[in-house]
Amino acid sequence: MRVHARRIHSLNGSQPNIHDGPVIYWMSREQRVQDNWGLLYARELAGATQPLVVCFAMSPSFMCASFRQYDFMLKGLKEVADNLEKFSIPFTLRIGAPDCEIVRLANDIRAGVVVTDFDPLRNVQGWQKSAAGELKVPLIEVDGRNIVPARIVSDKQEYAARTIRPKIHRLLFEYLEEFPKLIPQSVSLPEIATPDWNGAYRAVNVDRSILPVELASGENAAHKTLASFLKSRLKNYAEKSNDPNGESTSVLSPYIQFGQLSAQRIALDVAATGAGESQDKFLEQLIVRRELSDNFCLYNSDYDSLNGAPDWAVATLDDHMDDKRSYTYTLEDFDRAETHSHLWNGAQNQMRKTGYMHGYMRMYWAKKILEWSISPEQALKTVITLNDRYQLDGRSPNGYVGSLWSVAGLHDRPWKKRPVYGAIRYMNERGCRRKFKVDEYISRWI
Ligand SMILES: Cc1cc2nc3c(=O)[nH]c(=O)nc-3n(C[C@H](O)[C@H](O)[C@H](O)COP(=O)(O)OP(=O)(O)OC[C@H]3O[C@@H](n4cnc5c(N)ncnc54)[C@H](O)[C@@H]3O)c2cc1C
């Protein structure tokens, strides 16, 4: 088998039989043609005799996603459809409740098996569970997101990076392998509708005031960004990745989030550079920190609430609930970047305008929301709402974990006690001034 057997997990207990009929790849989290384990597995099942069809079932609204994120996604999917054509693999776009659409398609073409992407978030898991119950054929999940599959690396919620790191490193040599090539198909194909892209844009039923951003979408743009990172920015990563003015991070998170680029491809290419300390520091973020987020969301259904925070953090936040706040703002104040702090407003503006905020600023930004909100619950809600509304990479395990890390000590430890924060790690503008040229950042974004 070309796809590692432990990436594969049946969602309804049935196992595929390759002679049973057409194969559907229900593309969801991994929106790409290259380096996609789910697509490769579906192609493998189809073999030389059965047709493979790729379907994306688009819900007209999705969590807090705005028009900006739908636009980015639809542009990327259009490229997916064009690229699949080169392999004679048809792509269909269905609009509606994804679980119902997939079941309908499977019945229409008398599919023998449906393959889909691993996703730890509850709404996608809800669709998968419902489809698994309705389908008369196997529904098979493939983890094409994590280098070491999330269900394999650990069977429980990990305490912190230090507990998942050795588990990942122990298995990495087995899973960090080169991808096989996708093989074109040459079988007669079932009748399926071609995508109506204009209809899809019209169907999107979300906040249209949050406009698309300049960042180019799609696999091609993702690979170009990776190439430019490897060529000019990776070497500075160890020294400069905490400087929001220096362009030393990869800015790959939007492409990873929409599955337009595989983290495994990034890791393989970065590992081939021999970039020393920068390489190690980058791979720690890309692999250990990112896969820790999927681990948390997979095993903790309270991943976006204070109920998901460690007990010590909840207790310390409770103890400091009544501390006097120097400033308090509402979600709307924060959203409009109307706080007293130019640095905070600058970070908010960077996110609103570009759909991306530098990682160091995300920590400062979220911690100040904790300090300037009437309660930790309110703070967490504000952080998650704004992150999901504006960031292209929002609505992701990394987003929920980053929010809980900042506001409620997830994967962290107790620090020296302070007002409002209790023992939650503190950050302030003075600390930022020691790290980077704060005024330069402010003048860029205000
Ligand atoms: C409050 C808060 C909110 C966040 N929201 C998101 C989010 O919505 N989506 C998101 O992808 N990341 C989020 N992060 C994590 C991190 O800040 C971003 O992944 C990173 O800044 C993206 O920029 P980059 O691609 O240039 O990162 P790089 O530094 O180039 O890192 C490469 C990749 O490694 C991964 N990575 C880097 N830092 C982290 C981290 N701390 N935790 C987990 N994975 C990491 C990401 O996939 C990233 O694209 C958040 C962090 C905080 C503190």
Side-chain angles (χ1 to χ4, degrees):
M1 185 178 284
R2 297 182 330 143
V3 179
H4 199 303
R6 297 177 86 196
R7 286 195 183 280
I8 298 159
H9 173 79
S10 174
L11 292 174
N12 54 4
S14 326
Q15 299 304 327
N17 177 344
I18 51 171
H19 302 298
D20 278 354
V23 177
I24 296 175
Y25 171 45
W26 173 10
M27 178 178 276
S28 158
R29 202 182 185 199
E30 311 306 332
Q31 299 167 19
R32 63 181 179 276
V33 175
Q34 292 179 52
D35 307 327
N36 183 342
W37 290 121
L39 177 61
L40 286 164
Y41 181 62
R43 179 69 191 88
E44 189 175 316
L45 287 178
T49 55
Q50 297 298 337
L52 163 64
V53 167
V54 176
C55 175
F56 188 88
M58 186 184 91
S59 168
S61 62
F62 183 62
M63 298 157 80
C64 278
S66 58
F67 190 61
R68 163 179 297 179
Q69 292 132 352
Y70 268 88
D71 171 74
F72 195 82
M73 181 178 80
L74 284 167
K75 284 177 177 150
L77 288 174
K78 169 99 179 48
E79 197 178 309
V80 165
D82 294 345
N83 287 340
L84 282 173
E85 217 176 299
K86 297 173 197 153
F87 294 87
S88 306
I89 299 173
F91 175 89
T92 185
L93 179 70
R94 299 261 173 144
I95 297 162
D99 45 347
C100 303
E101 293 302 325
I102 285 299
V103 172
R104 201 169 299 140
L105 175 66
N107 293 339
D108 285 353
I109 66 168
R110 296 172 189 274
V113 55
V114 179
V115 175
T116 196
D117 301 320
F118 165 75
D119 194 318
L121 299 188
R122 71 174 79 84
N123 51 353
V124 180
Q125 290 214 335
W127 292 330
Q128 291 179 345
K129 198 168 168 203
S130 142
E134 292 293 316
L135 283 166
K136 299 183 195 85
V137 297
L139 176 61
I140 307 293
E141 169 202 278
V142 178
D143 190 341
R145 178 62 54 128
N146 294 285
I147 298 175
V148 182
R151 293 187 193 276
I152 299 303
V153 73
S154 176
D155 58 4
K156 61 175 196 305
Q157 181 187 325
E158 290 296 329
Y159 191 71
R162 70 170 186 283
T163 64
I164 202 171
R165 188 179 296 112
K167 296 184 180 179
I168 290 178
H169 283 287
R170 200 165 53 240
L171 293 169
L172 203 51
F173 75 96
E174 190 181 335
Y175 291 96
L176 186 55
E177 54 181 336
E178 193 41 81
F179 288 89
K181 293 253 174 288
L182 181 66
I183 298 168
Q185 64 177 352
S186 53
V187 285
S188 62
L189 300 170
E191 287 276 310
I192 52 161
T194 52
D196 169 8
W197 298 106
N198 291 335
Y201 267 92
R202 280 195 304 274
V204 171
N205 183 17
V206 296
D207 183 350
R208 287 184 178 251
S209 69
I210 299 166
L211 298 174
V213 291
E214 275 176 20
L215 188 74
S217 172
E219 270 191 278
N220 199 14
H223 280 271
K224 278 191 186 153
T225 307
L226 174 59
S228 84
F229 175 62
L230 295 176
K231 187 165 170 244
S232 26
R233 302 197 298 284
L234 173 63
K235 58 179 179 292
N236 299 324
Y237 192 82
E239 195 191 336
K240 292 206 175 138
S241 62
N242 276 341
D243 180 355
N245 295 316
E247 299 192 338
S248 55
T249 68
S250 67
V251 197
L252 286 171
S253 56
Y255 300 114
I256 298 173
Q257 161 63 3
F258 282 92
Q260 295 176 355
L261 186 63
S262 144
Q264 184 157 340
R265 165 59 52 215
I266 304 171
L268 286 166
D269 288 4
V270 166
T273 61
E277 201 190 329
S278 282
Q279 172 183 313
D280 294 346
K281 193 168 172 197
F282 179 79
L283 291 178
E284 163 75 12
Q285 299 302 116
L286 178 79
I287 304 177
V288 175
R289 297 284 164 173
R290 196 181 49 80
E291 301 199 354
L292 179 62
S293 300
D294 264 32
N295 165 274
F296 177 67
C297 293
L298 178 60
Y299 295 117
N300 193 324
S301 55
D302 288 321
Y303 55 74
D304 51 358
S305 103
L306 280 185
N307 295 334
D311 293 344
W312 68 263
V314 173
T316 196
L317 288 168
D318 270 355
D319 286 348
H320 290 265
M321 181 65 204
D322 297 328
D323 290 359
K324 185 170 168 7
R325 274 90 172 138
S326 320
Y327 302 90
T328 51
Y329 299 108
T330 62
L331 170 65
E332 291 70 32
D333 299 329
F334 284 120
D335 193 340
R336 291 191 296 263
E338 286 176 355
T339 76
H340 62 285
S341 160
H342 291 318
L343 180 57
W344 193 94
N345 296 345
Q348 174 71 6
N349 282 343
Q350 179 181 20
M351 178 176 75
R352 283 174 54 126
K353 285 182 189 158
T354 68
Y356 174 88
M357 189 195 294
H358 185 280
Y360 189 79
M361 292 313 299
R362 292 189 202 213
M363 297 188 272
Y364 170 81
W365 171 85
K367 286 191 175 286
K368 291 296 140 184
I369 294 178
L370 169 63
E371 192 175 325
W372 303 330
S373 294
I374 53 165
S375 69
E377 284 83 5
Q378 185 61 37
L380 185 65
K381 187 165 172 255
T382 300
V383 170
I384 291 178
T385 304
L386 296 179
N387 197 70
D388 283 358
R389 186 178 290 166
Y390 292 108
Q391 306 272 29
L392 281 174
D393 61 25
R395 305 157 330 286
S396 66
N398 275 356
Y400 302 121
V401 167
S403 302
L404 270 178
W405 178 89
S406 308
V407 172
L410 178 69
H411 299 150
D412 205 357
R413 63 172 173 85
W415 292 72
K416 188 183 141 198
K417 286 200 178 144
R418 293 176 182 271
V420 184
Y421 288 75
I424 304 295
R425 186 194 296 244
Y426 173 73
M427 281 175 81
N428 67 1
E429 185 167 326
R430 211 167 334 123
C432 293
R433 286 189 183 275
R434 281 196 297 273
K435 290 246 181 223
F436 67 95
K437 291 179 180 151
V438 163
D439 296 329
E440 188 181 319
Y441 182 81
I442 292 174
S443 64
R444 190 162 167 205
W445 296 111
I446 293 284

